[in-house]
Amino acid sequence: MAISLQKGQKISLSKEAGGTLTQVKLGLGWDVAQAPQDKKGGFLGKLFGGGSGGSGGSGDSIDLDASCIMFDSNKQPVDAIWFSQLKSKDGSIVHTGDNRTGDGDGDDEVINVDLSKVPANVVSLVFTVNSFTGQTFETVENAFCRIVNADNNTEVARYNLSSQGTHTAMIMAKVYRHNDEWKMHAIGETASGRTFHDLMPTITPHA
C-alpha cells in the first residue's frame, strides 16, 4: 500500500517500494474547485497543463503546468523539463506533455524519470506546478503528486495538498539522492509565477 505523505515528510523510495527503483513516474493532478451550485452537477473535470494557451478563466477549467528542475550539489540548476522542453538534455527525464482537456481520471500529466540515468552531478529533482495564465489556486482543489513504480505501475507514495489561496504556483515535492539512495520530500510550499523561471527564488532553497 502506498504511503500518504504529510507536508515536510521524507521517505526512502526503495524502502517504500520494497526494492530498488529505477523507472518512476511522477503524476501530478488537481481538480477544478466546484462552486456550491455545481456540487450536485457532478465532476467538473480535470485540466492538466496547457501553458501555451488553454482556456484562461473559463470558470470550469484551470490551466496549470508541471515542471521538473534538476539541481547539482551547489543548488545550481542543471536542466529543466517543462512544456517548452519535454525531455532533459541527458534523456533521463521525459514529460509526457500538456493535456489541455483533462478528460478522464488518472494522471493527466506525468513526468517519467529513469533514476539510473540521472547524471551523477544531479542530486535533486524539484517538481512544481504553476498557472501560466495567472489563475489562482482559489479555483483548485484536491491537488496531489504521486510517485509510481513504472516497472509494475504500483503507487509508492502520494502527497495530497489542500492549500487554496491567491497563489498561482506550488513547489510540490523533491526527489533527491542521499547516501546512495533516492528519497522523496513532500514540500507543498505556495508561490506565484507563470513559469518555473519566476519560481526559482522560492524553489532554490529546497533544492
PDB file of all heavy atoms in Angstrom, residues 62-91:
ATOM      1  N   ILE A  62      -8.926  25.002 -15.270  1.00  0.00           N
ATOM      2  CA  ILE A  62      -7.792  25.827 -14.849  1.00  0.00           C
ATOM      3  C   ILE A  62      -6.551  25.331 -15.557  1.00  0.00           C
ATOM      4  O   ILE A  62      -6.352  24.132 -15.724  1.00  0.00           O
ATOM      5  CB  ILE A  62      -7.610  25.808 -13.317  1.00  0.00           C
ATOM      6  CG1 ILE A  62      -6.463  26.745 -12.916  1.00  0.00           C
ATOM      7  CG2 ILE A  62      -7.383  24.399 -12.794  1.00  0.00           C
ATOM      8  CD1 ILE A  62      -6.403  27.028 -11.437  1.00  0.00           C
ATOM      9  N   ASP A  63      -5.758  26.267 -16.012  1.00  0.00           N
ATOM     10  CA  ASP A  63      -4.611  25.993 -16.860  1.00  0.00           C
ATOM     11  C   ASP A  63      -3.355  25.910 -15.999  1.00  0.00           C
ATOM     12  O   ASP A  63      -2.779  26.921 -15.644  1.00  0.00           O
ATOM     13  CB  ASP A  63      -4.514  27.131 -17.882  1.00  0.00           C
ATOM     14  CG  ASP A  63      -3.361  26.967 -18.841  1.00  0.00           C
ATOM     15  OD1 ASP A  63      -2.742  25.896 -18.839  1.00  0.00           O
ATOM     16  OD2 ASP A  63      -3.095  27.907 -19.593  1.00  0.00           O
ATOM     17  N   LEU A  64      -2.944  24.696 -15.651  1.00  0.00           N
ATOM     18  CA  LEU A  64      -1.756  24.500 -14.831  1.00  0.00           C
ATOM     19  C   LEU A  64      -0.701  23.714 -15.597  1.00  0.00           C
ATOM     20  O   LEU A  64      -1.024  22.930 -16.489  1.00  0.00           O
ATOM     21  CB  LEU A  64      -2.092  23.761 -13.541  1.00  0.00           C
ATOM     22  CG  LEU A  64      -3.023  24.462 -12.558  1.00  0.00           C
ATOM     23  CD1 LEU A  64      -3.235  23.584 -11.328  1.00  0.00           C
ATOM     24  CD2 LEU A  64      -2.488  25.829 -12.143  1.00  0.00           C
ATOM     25  N   ASP A  65       0.553  23.923 -15.225  1.00  0.00           N
ATOM     26  CA  ASP A  65       1.668  23.242 -15.875  1.00  0.00           C
ATOM     27  C   ASP A  65       2.600  22.645 -14.831  1.00  0.00           C
ATOM     28  O   ASP A  65       2.892  23.276 -13.817  1.00  0.00           O
ATOM     29  CB  ASP A  65       2.464  24.230 -16.732  1.00  0.00           C
ATOM     30  CG  ASP A  65       1.610  24.868 -17.804  1.00  0.00           C
ATOM     31  OD1 ASP A  65       1.204  24.148 -18.718  1.00  0.00           O
ATOM     32  OD2 ASP A  65       1.340  26.076 -17.704  1.00  0.00           O
ATOM     33  N   ALA A  66       3.087  21.445 -15.124  1.00  0.00           N
ATOM     34  CA  ALA A  66       4.055  20.785 -14.251  1.00  0.00           C
ATOM     35  C   ALA A  66       5.459  20.964 -14.818  1.00  0.00           C
ATOM     36  O   ALA A  66       5.654  20.943 -16.038  1.00  0.00           O
ATOM     37  CB  ALA A  66       3.724  19.307 -14.134  1.00  0.00           C
ATOM     38  N   SER A  67       6.421  21.135 -13.936  1.00  0.00           N
ATOM     39  CA  SER A  67       7.824  21.278 -14.338  1.00  0.00           C
ATOM     40  C   SER A  67       8.705  20.479 -13.390  1.00  0.00           C
ATOM     41  O   SER A  67       8.323  20.209 -12.251  1.00  0.00           O
ATOM     42  CB  SER A  67       8.260  22.746 -14.325  1.00  0.00           C
ATOM     43  OG  SER A  67       7.443  23.546 -15.146  1.00  0.00           O
ATOM     44  N   CYS A  68       9.886  20.124 -13.866  1.00  0.00           N
ATOM     45  CA  CYS A  68      10.902  19.458 -13.043  1.00  0.00           C
ATOM     46  C   CYS A  68      12.216  20.175 -13.261  1.00  0.00           C
ATOM     47  O   CYS A  68      12.659  20.324 -14.405  1.00  0.00           O
ATOM     48  CB  CYS A  68      11.024  17.983 -13.432  1.00  0.00           C
ATOM     49  SG  CYS A  68      12.393  17.125 -12.612  1.00  0.00           S
ATOM     50  N   ILE A  69      12.852  20.617 -12.176  1.00  0.00           N
ATOM     51  CA  ILE A  69      14.138  21.301 -12.268  1.00  0.00           C
ATOM     52  C   ILE A  69      15.197  20.433 -11.627  1.00  0.00           C
ATOM     53  O   ILE A  69      15.035  19.959 -10.502  1.00  0.00           O
ATOM     54  CB  ILE A  69      14.102  22.692 -11.592  1.00  0.00           C
ATOM     55  CG1 ILE A  69      13.014  23.575 -12.232  1.00  0.00           C
ATOM     56  CG2 ILE A  69      15.445  23.396 -11.747  1.00  0.00           C
ATOM     57  CD1 ILE A  69      11.657  23.449 -11.612  1.00  0.00           C
ATOM     58  N   MET A  70      16.282  20.202 -12.363  1.00  0.00           N
ATOM     59  CA  MET A  70      17.386  19.372 -11.888  1.00  0.00           C
ATOM     60  C   MET A  70      18.457  20.270 -11.275  1.00  0.00           C
ATOM     61  O   MET A  70      18.857  21.274 -11.885  1.00  0.00           O
ATOM     62  CB  MET A  70      17.975  18.572 -13.054  1.00  0.00           C
ATOM     63  CG  MET A  70      16.943  17.783 -13.840  1.00  0.00           C
ATOM     64  SD  MET A  70      17.562  17.077 -15.400  1.00  0.00           S
ATOM     65  CE  MET A  70      18.518  15.691 -14.764  1.00  0.00           C
ATOM     66  N   PHE A  71      18.925  19.910 -10.071  1.00  0.00           N
ATOM     67  CA  PHE A  71      19.923  20.720  -9.372  1.00  0.00           C
ATOM     68  C   PHE A  71      21.164  19.894  -9.044  1.00  0.00           C
ATOM     69  O   PHE A  71      21.081  18.675  -8.809  1.00  0.00           O
ATOM     70  CB  PHE A  71      19.356  21.245  -8.057  1.00  0.00           C
ATOM     71  CG  PHE A  71      18.353  22.357  -8.205  1.00  0.00           C
ATOM     72  CD1 PHE A  71      16.998  22.068  -8.285  1.00  0.00           C
ATOM     73  CD2 PHE A  71      18.753  23.687  -8.252  1.00  0.00           C
ATOM     74  CE1 PHE A  71      16.060  23.086  -8.416  1.00  0.00           C
ATOM     75  CE2 PHE A  71      17.833  24.712  -8.376  1.00  0.00           C
ATOM     76  CZ  PHE A  71      16.483  24.412  -8.461  1.00  0.00           C
ATOM     77  N   ASP A  72      22.316  20.597  -8.987  1.00  0.00           N
ATOM     78  CA  ASP A  72      23.538  19.948  -8.527  1.00  0.00           C
ATOM     79  C   ASP A  72      23.734  20.203  -7.037  1.00  0.00           C
ATOM     80  O   ASP A  72      22.862  20.796  -6.379  1.00  0.00           O
ATOM     81  CB  ASP A  72      24.760  20.416  -9.338  1.00  0.00           C
ATOM     82  CG  ASP A  72      25.071  21.911  -9.176  1.00  0.00           C
ATOM     83  OD1 ASP A  72      24.604  22.532  -8.193  1.00  0.00           O
ATOM     84  OD2 ASP A  72      25.806  22.452 -10.035  1.00  0.00           O
ATOM     85  N   SER A  73      24.854  19.760  -6.490  1.00  0.00           N
ATOM     86  CA  SER A  73      25.085  19.843  -5.047  1.00  0.00           C
ATOM     87  C   SER A  73      25.272  21.275  -4.557  1.00  0.00           C
ATOM     88  O   SER A  73      25.201  21.534  -3.354  1.00  0.00           O
ATOM     89  CB  SER A  73      26.307  19.010  -4.663  1.00  0.00           C
ATOM     90  OG  SER A  73      27.458  19.460  -5.351  1.00  0.00           O
ATOM     91  N   ASN A  74      25.490  22.198  -5.473  1.00  0.00           N
ATOM     92  CA  ASN A  74      25.639  23.606  -5.104  1.00  0.00           C
ATOM     93  C   ASN A  74      24.337  24.383  -5.272  1.00  0.00           C
ATOM     94  O   ASN A  74      24.339  25.605  -5.285  1.00  0.00           O
ATOM     95  CB  ASN A  74      26.735  24.259  -5.956  1.00  0.00           C
ATOM     96  CG  ASN A  74      28.109  23.684  -5.682  1.00  0.00           C
ATOM     97  OD1 ASN A  74      28.487  23.467  -4.532  1.00  0.00           O
ATOM     98  ND2 ASN A  74      28.864  23.416  -6.740  1.00  0.00           N
ATOM     99  N   LYS A  75      23.240  23.636  -5.414  1.00  0.00           N
ATOM    100  CA  LYS A  75      21.915  24.235  -5.618  1.00  0.00           C
ATOM    101  C   LYS A  75      21.848  25.074  -6.894  1.00  0.00           C
ATOM    102  O   LYS A  75      21.086  26.032  -6.996  1.00  0.00           O
ATOM    103  CB  LYS A  75      21.493  25.093  -4.405  1.00  0.00           C
ATOM    104  CG  LYS A  75      21.262  24.301  -3.121  1.00  0.00           C
ATOM    105  CD  LYS A  75      20.760  25.199  -2.011  1.00  0.00           C
ATOM    106  CE  LYS A  75      20.539  24.448  -0.711  1.00  0.00           C
ATOM    107  NZ  LYS A  75      19.405  23.520  -0.792  1.00  0.00           N
ATOM    108  N   GLN A  76      22.650  24.678  -7.861  1.00  0.00           N
ATOM    109  CA  GLN A  76      22.619  25.347  -9.161  1.00  0.00           C
ATOM    110  C   GLN A  76      21.787  24.510 -10.136  1.00  0.00           C
ATOM    111  O   GLN A  76      21.954  23.288 -10.204  1.00  0.00           O
ATOM    112  CB  GLN A  76      24.031  25.533  -9.715  1.00  0.00           C
ATOM    113  CG  GLN A  76      24.892  26.480  -8.903  1.00  0.00           C
ATOM    114  CD  GLN A  76      24.305  27.877  -8.838  1.00  0.00           C
ATOM    115  OE1 GLN A  76      24.006  28.488  -9.864  1.00  0.00           O
ATOM    116  NE2 GLN A  76      24.141  28.387  -7.628  1.00  0.00           N
ATOM    117  N   PRO A  77      20.882  25.147 -10.892  1.00  0.00           N
ATOM    118  CA  PRO A  77      20.068  24.397 -11.847  1.00  0.00           C
ATOM    119  C   PRO A  77      20.924  23.828 -12.979  1.00  0.00           C
ATOM    120  O   PRO A  77      21.768  24.528 -13.541  1.00  0.00           O
ATOM    121  CB  PRO A  77      19.073  25.435 -12.364  1.00  0.00           C
ATOM    122  CG  PRO A  77      19.733  26.761 -12.120  1.00  0.00           C
ATOM    123  CD  PRO A  77      20.551  26.588 -10.879  1.00  0.00           C
ATOM    124  N   VAL A  78      20.703  22.554 -13.287  1.00  0.00           N
ATOM    125  CA  VAL A  78      21.433  21.874 -14.349  1.00  0.00           C
ATOM    126  C   VAL A  78      20.589  21.806 -15.619  1.00  0.00           C
ATOM    127  O   VAL A  78      21.094  21.971 -16.733  1.00  0.00           O
ATOM    128  CB  VAL A  78      21.831  20.453 -13.907  1.00  0.00           C
ATOM    129  CG1 VAL A  78      22.487  19.679 -15.052  1.00  0.00           C
ATOM    130  CG2 VAL A  78      22.754  20.507 -12.693  1.00  0.00           C
ATOM    131  N   ASP A  79      19.298  21.587 -15.453  1.00  0.00           N
ATOM    132  CA  ASP A  79      18.394  21.472 -16.587  1.00  0.00           C
ATOM    133  C   ASP A  79      16.973  21.636 -16.062  1.00  0.00           C
ATOM    134  O   ASP A  79      16.729  21.562 -14.855  1.00  0.00           O
ATOM    135  CB  ASP A  79      18.562  20.112 -17.275  1.00  0.00           C
ATOM    136  CG  ASP A  79      18.057  20.106 -18.718  1.00  0.00           C
ATOM    137  OD1 ASP A  79      17.504  21.135 -19.168  1.00  0.00           O
ATOM    138  OD2 ASP A  79      18.215  19.065 -19.389  1.00  0.00           O
ATOM    139  N   ALA A  80      16.024  21.840 -16.971  1.00  0.00           N
ATOM    140  CA  ALA A  80      14.626  21.972 -16.589  1.00  0.00           C
ATOM    141  C   ALA A  80      13.753  21.306 -17.637  1.00  0.00           C
ATOM    142  O   ALA A  80      14.006  21.414 -18.840  1.00  0.00           O
ATOM    143  CB  ALA A  80      14.233  23.439 -16.434  1.00  0.00           C
ATOM    144  N   ILE A  81      12.739  20.595 -17.155  1.00  0.00           N
ATOM    145  CA  ILE A  81      11.808  19.897 -18.028  1.00  0.00           C
ATOM    146  C   ILE A  81      10.450  20.546 -17.808  1.00  0.00           C
ATOM    147  O   ILE A  81       9.921  20.548 -16.687  1.00  0.00           O
ATOM    148  CB  ILE A  81      11.774  18.386 -17.688  1.00  0.00           C
ATOM    149  CG1 ILE A  81      13.163  17.770 -17.882  1.00  0.00           C
ATOM    150  CG2 ILE A  81      10.754  17.663 -18.555  1.00  0.00           C
ATOM    151  CD1 ILE A  81      14.087  17.924 -16.691  1.00  0.00           C
ATOM    152  N   TRP A  82       9.880  21.113 -18.879  1.00  0.00           N
ATOM    153  CA  TRP A  82       8.615  21.837 -18.757  1.00  0.00           C
ATOM    154  C   TRP A  82       7.951  21.859 -20.128  1.00  0.00           C
ATOM    155  O   TRP A  82       8.398  21.160 -21.045  1.00  0.00           O
ATOM    156  CB  TRP A  82       8.832  23.238 -18.193  1.00  0.00           C
ATOM    157  CG  TRP A  82       9.762  24.124 -18.972  1.00  0.00           C
ATOM    158  CD1 TRP A  82      11.032  23.840 -19.387  1.00  0.00           C
ATOM    159  CD2 TRP A  82       9.508  25.448 -19.429  1.00  0.00           C
ATOM    160  NE1 TRP A  82      11.573  24.901 -20.073  1.00  0.00           N
ATOM    161  CE2 TRP A  82      10.654  25.910 -20.110  1.00  0.00           C
ATOM    162  CE3 TRP A  82       8.408  26.302 -19.313  1.00  0.00           C
ATOM    163  CZ2 TRP A  82      10.743  27.168 -20.681  1.00  0.00           C
ATOM    164  CZ3 TRP A  82       8.502  27.576 -19.883  1.00  0.00           C
ATOM    165  CH2 TRP A  82       9.658  27.997 -20.554  1.00  0.00           C
ATOM    166  N   PHE A  83       6.875  22.605 -20.285  1.00  0.00           N
ATOM    167  CA  PHE A  83       6.122  22.493 -21.529  1.00  0.00           C
ATOM    168  C   PHE A  83       6.885  22.961 -22.762  1.00  0.00           C
ATOM    169  O   PHE A  83       6.519  22.615 -23.879  1.00  0.00           O
ATOM    170  CB  PHE A  83       4.754  23.181 -21.441  1.00  0.00           C
ATOM    171  CG  PHE A  83       4.789  24.670 -21.271  1.00  0.00           C
ATOM    172  CD1 PHE A  83       5.035  25.511 -22.332  1.00  0.00           C
ATOM    173  CD2 PHE A  83       4.519  25.242 -20.023  1.00  0.00           C
ATOM    174  CE1 PHE A  83       5.037  26.899 -22.182  1.00  0.00           C
ATOM    175  CE2 PHE A  83       4.509  26.619 -19.855  1.00  0.00           C
ATOM    176  CZ  PHE A  83       4.775  27.443 -20.947  1.00  0.00           C
ATOM    177  N   SER A  84       7.955  23.734 -22.576  1.00  0.00           N
ATOM    178  CA  SER A  84       8.756  24.161 -23.716  1.00  0.00           C
ATOM    179  C   SER A  84       9.966  23.265 -23.962  1.00  0.00           C
ATOM    180  O   SER A  84      10.665  23.411 -24.962  1.00  0.00           O
ATOM    181  CB  SER A  84       9.232  25.603 -23.528  1.00  0.00           C
ATOM    182  OG  SER A  84       8.171  26.511 -23.758  1.00  0.00           O
ATOM    183  N   GLN A  85      10.249  22.365 -23.035  1.00  0.00           N
ATOM    184  CA  GLN A  85      11.321  21.365 -23.201  1.00  0.00           C
ATOM    185  C   GLN A  85      10.878  20.103 -22.484  1.00  0.00           C
ATOM    186  O   GLN A  85      11.015  19.982 -21.266  1.00  0.00           O
ATOM    187  CB  GLN A  85      12.662  21.847 -22.627  1.00  0.00           C
ATOM    188  CG  GLN A  85      13.780  20.811 -22.819  1.00  0.00           C
ATOM    189  CD  GLN A  85      15.081  21.219 -22.154  1.00  0.00           C
ATOM    190  OE1 GLN A  85      15.625  22.274 -22.451  1.00  0.00           O
ATOM    191  NE2 GLN A  85      15.578  20.375 -21.256  1.00  0.00           N
ATOM    192  N   LEU A  86      10.316  19.167 -23.247  1.00  0.00           N
ATOM    193  CA  LEU A  86       9.680  17.996 -22.647  1.00  0.00           C
ATOM    194  C   LEU A  86      10.650  16.873 -22.300  1.00  0.00           C
ATOM    195  O   LEU A  86      10.242  15.875 -21.709  1.00  0.00           O
ATOM    196  CB  LEU A  86       8.590  17.454 -23.583  1.00  0.00           C
ATOM    197  CG  LEU A  86       7.414  18.406 -23.835  1.00  0.00           C
ATOM    198  CD1 LEU A  86       6.442  17.776 -24.826  1.00  0.00           C
ATOM    199  CD2 LEU A  86       6.702  18.755 -22.529  1.00  0.00           C
ATOM    200  N   LYS A  87      11.926  17.036 -22.626  1.00  0.00           N
ATOM    201  CA  LYS A  87      12.912  15.999 -22.328  1.00  0.00           C
ATOM    202  C   LYS A  87      14.199  16.636 -21.849  1.00  0.00           C
ATOM    203  O   LYS A  87      14.652  17.634 -22.418  1.00  0.00           O
ATOM    204  CB  LYS A  87      13.175  15.159 -23.580  1.00  0.00           C
ATOM    205  CG  LYS A  87      14.077  13.951 -23.378  1.00  0.00           C
ATOM    206  CD  LYS A  87      14.178  13.149 -24.672  1.00  0.00           C
ATOM    207  CE  LYS A  87      15.026  11.898 -24.494  1.00  0.00           C
ATOM    208  NZ  LYS A  87      15.098  11.098 -25.744  1.00  0.00           N
ATOM    209  N   SER A  88      14.782  16.068 -20.793  1.00  0.00           N
ATOM    210  CA  SER A  88      16.050  16.608 -20.306  1.00  0.00           C
ATOM    211  C   SER A  88      17.141  16.368 -21.346  1.00  0.00           C
ATOM    212  O   SER A  88      17.055  15.438 -22.165  1.00  0.00           O
ATOM    213  CB  SER A  88      16.438  15.951 -18.980  1.00  0.00           C
ATOM    214  OG  SER A  88      16.610  14.553 -19.139  1.00  0.00           O
ATOM    215  N   LYS A  89      18.156  17.196 -21.327  1.00  0.00           N
ATOM    216  CA  LYS A  89      19.221  17.093 -22.328  1.00  0.00           C
ATOM    217  C   LYS A  89      19.942  15.749 -22.256  1.00  0.00           C
ATOM    218  O   LYS A  89      20.455  15.251 -23.254  1.00  0.00           O
ATOM    219  CB  LYS A  89      20.214  18.248 -22.149  1.00  0.00           C
ATOM    220  CG  LYS A  89      19.610  19.624 -22.435  1.00  0.00           C
ATOM    221  CD  LYS A  89      20.626  20.727 -22.239  1.00  0.00           C
ATOM    222  CE  LYS A  89      20.051  22.104 -22.570  1.00  0.00           C
ATOM    223  NZ  LYS A  89      19.006  22.509 -21.596  1.00  0.00           N
ATOM    224  N   ASP A  90      19.992  15.142 -21.068  1.00  0.00           N
ATOM    225  CA  ASP A  90      20.647  13.845 -20.913  1.00  0.00           C
ATOM    226  C   ASP A  90      19.707  12.681 -21.201  1.00  0.00           C
ATOM    227  O   ASP A  90      20.126  11.529 -21.243  1.00  0.00           O
ATOM    228  CB  ASP A  90      21.211  13.703 -19.497  1.00  0.00           C
ATOM    229  CG  ASP A  90      20.139  13.874 -18.442  1.00  0.00           C
ATOM    230  OD1 ASP A  90      19.317  12.951 -18.272  1.00  0.00           O
ATOM    231  OD2 ASP A  90      20.112  14.929 -17.778  1.00  0.00           O
ATOM    232  N   GLY A  91      18.415  12.961 -21.368  1.00  0.00           N
ATOM    233  CA  GLY A  91      17.449  11.926 -21.710  1.00  0.00           C
ATOM    234  C   GLY A  91      16.870  11.144 -20.544  1.00  0.00           C
ATOM    235  O   GLY A  91      16.056  10.238 -20.750  1.00  0.00           O
TER     236      GLY A  91
END
